Amino acid sequence: MIRSDATRNRAKVLAAAELVLGEQGLTARMDEIARRAGVGVGTVYRHFATKEALYAAIVTARVDLLLQQADRLRTTGEPATAFFTFVTRIVVDATTKKALTEALRDAGIDVKAGRSDQRTRMHEALTALLQDAQRAGAVRPDVDMPTVLALLRGASLAAESGDYPVPVLDRALAVLFDGLRPRPA
Amino acid sequence: MIRSDATRNRAKVLAAAELVLGEQGLTARMDEIARRAGVGVGTVYRHFATKEALYAAIVTARVDLLLQQADRLRTTGEPATAFFTFVTRIVVDATTKKALTEALRDAGIDVKAGRSDQRTRMHEALTALLQDAQRAGAVRPDVDMPTVLALLRGASLAAESGDYPVPVLDRALAVLFDGLRPRPA
DNA sequence: GAAGATATGGAACCTGGATTCCGGTTGTCA
DNA sequence: TGACAACCGGAATCCAGGTTCCATATCTTC
């Protein structure tokens, strides 16, 4: 039987970790996370065998969220906005969630444990969105997934590094998107 | 009097460090650098007071090189190619020199010690190239330096992370450049 | 080629931070 | 409520890497 306080603490740790990891990325310290959760390090370790495991838990959850959004956008019918919105969302996410970006390396995760199916799923989701957008003539037909991924990753990394004010990021993204659109002959 | 073997070793350390830092970035270990230089750690420390100082020395040198190239390009007369070539050069550089990219944070250096004038110089060089290109109608007039820097940084970071084959990076850069060009009405 | 100054190698030391351990608490169940 | 298992906190332990130290080896100079 799992004790009630245990579940409660687990949640607190998760929440604190999400916060701290978002702020400091992979360099965040375990005791800092514990402190913010109002809990001892021991407790953190009781719930997550290792720092990496803790990260994995968080990243996994977040990626799942993104995947859901991708699905929803896809069924919205508007391929052009679906694609650009999703990409934007990823980048914006990166602004806050340092750890996520790290883990987003090549559109997925490889944070050890099996979870690599997420990587595939994310890849598939993006491919679908891209192809739809291309079919709709909203994205030039000659860019492929790897290229998009590289750009996306670059944007996320830049965003993640934090010292850019939002408007600058917006403008940068705008430029990038313009580059992705088909040239008007 | 500086002993001849001392200068020789200094050079060896510098060379090894440039190599190792290029490969592994800031996480490179001091003893690895020493090993590759065929020297003891003590010797490394005799020449560079601290890991950071060693990095600074290398980055400074490299940025100086880039600055020279910027100058040369600028006087070449072709504003459009000058700008795009320079940007490309920086990104390509990033492919090999992890440490550099790190340090290139917002177009400069702040690796502690004073050297921050390089930051200014790099910034000036880029601004000059950008403005020239804009005046020549090769870059849309509505992008500003911060935006370019953000994009540049993103590209460098992506490139730095290494797992992209050259052609992908080329294509990504092409897209980015297209975004920077003025839209043909 | 001897003396003194300067360098060298690399073992020892130190520090920050992850992980482990365990005496003391608290939730659960009868 | 009592007994016991599941949990807790956080001090102690471990470990990886940076940095220091110094006995020994190399220059340089006279």
Side-chain angles (χ1 to χ4, degrees), chain B:
Chain B
M1 179 83 261
I2 294 165
R3 263 166 54 168
S4 59
D5 55 344
T7 22
R8 213 174 315 126
N9 276 335
R10 181 177 225 278
K12 284 201 286 182
V13 168
L14 225 31
E18 176 143 14
L19 219 84
V20 178
L21 287 181
E23 285 170 12
Q24 318 186 4
L26 285 319
T27 51
R29 292 179 355 191
M30 287 305 254
D31 39 359
E32 167 69 3
I33 292 176
R35 201 179 57 65
R36 287 241 221 152
V39 135
V41 244
T43 303
V44 174
Y45 276 94
R46 161 158 298 271
H47 293 292
F48 302 93
T50 170
K51 189 176 172 179
E52 206 172 326
L54 178 53
Y55 289 0
I58 288 175
V59 173
T60 298
R62 188 148 287 275
V63 171
D64 260 334
L65 220 70
L66 279 175
L67 284 171
Q68 283 175 28
Q69 301 190 322
D71 262 6
R72 206 171 315 134
L73 281 170
R74 183 108 191 282
T75 58
T76 290
E78 246 296 36
T81 37
F83 175 74
F84 288 116
T85 305
F86 188 59
V87 170
T88 306
R89 193 149 298 169
I90 289 185
V91 175
V92 169
D93 227 54
T95 314
T96 342
K97 320 292 177 179
K98 290 212 183 202
L100 174 62
T101 317
E102 288 279 306
L104 213 60
R105 295 198 176 290
D106 22 42
I109 292 180
D110 57 351
V111 185
K112 299 299 182 281
R115 272 316 180 226
S116 87
D117 57 308
Q118 276 199 320
R119 177 204 179 93
T120 324
R121 289 206 289 144
M122 178 64 102
H123 200 282
E124 286 173 353
L126 265 170
T127 307
L129 285 169
L130 172 63
Q131 290 184 341
D132 286 358
Q134 285 178 317
R135 258 196 292 278
V139 171
R140 33 198 281 192
D142 62 327
V143 301
D144 52 358
M145 191 39 48
T147 304
V148 171
L149 285 181
L151 287 169
L152 190 50
R153 182 167 175 191
S156 299
L157 286 168
E160 172 208 304
S161 61
D163 23 21
Y164 297 108
V166 180
V168 170
L169 288 178
D170 281 349
R171 254 172 285 148
L173 263 190
V175 168
L176 213 150
F177 286 171
D178 267 0
L180 284 171
R181 295 212 181 76
R183 298 246 105 192

Side-chain angles (χ1 to χ4, degrees), chain A residues 3 9 40 42-43 46-47:
Chain A
R3 264 167 52 169
N9 276 334
T43 303
R46 162 158 297 270
H47 293 291

Side-chain angles (χ1 to χ4, degrees), chain A residues 74-143:
Chain A
R74 183 107 189 284
T75 57
T76 290
E78 247 293 39
T81 36
F83 175 75
F84 288 117
T85 306
F86 188 59
V87 170
T88 306
R89 193 150 297 170
I90 290 185
V91 175
V92 169
D93 226 55
T95 314
T96 342
K97 321 291 177 181
K98 290 212 181 200
L100 173 63
T101 317
E102 289 278 306
L104 213 61
R105 294 199 177 287
D106 20 43
I109 292 182
D110 57 350
V111 184
K112 299 299 182 285
R115 256 23 209 143
S116 88
D117 58 308
Q118 276 199 321
R119 176 205 180 93
T120 324
R121 289 206 289 142
M122 178 62 103
H123 200 282
E124 285 172 355
L126 265 171
T127 308
L129 286 170
L130 173 62
Q131 289 183 343
D132 287 358
Q134 284 178 320
R135 259 195 291 279
V139 170
R140 28 196 284 193
D142 62 326
V143 300

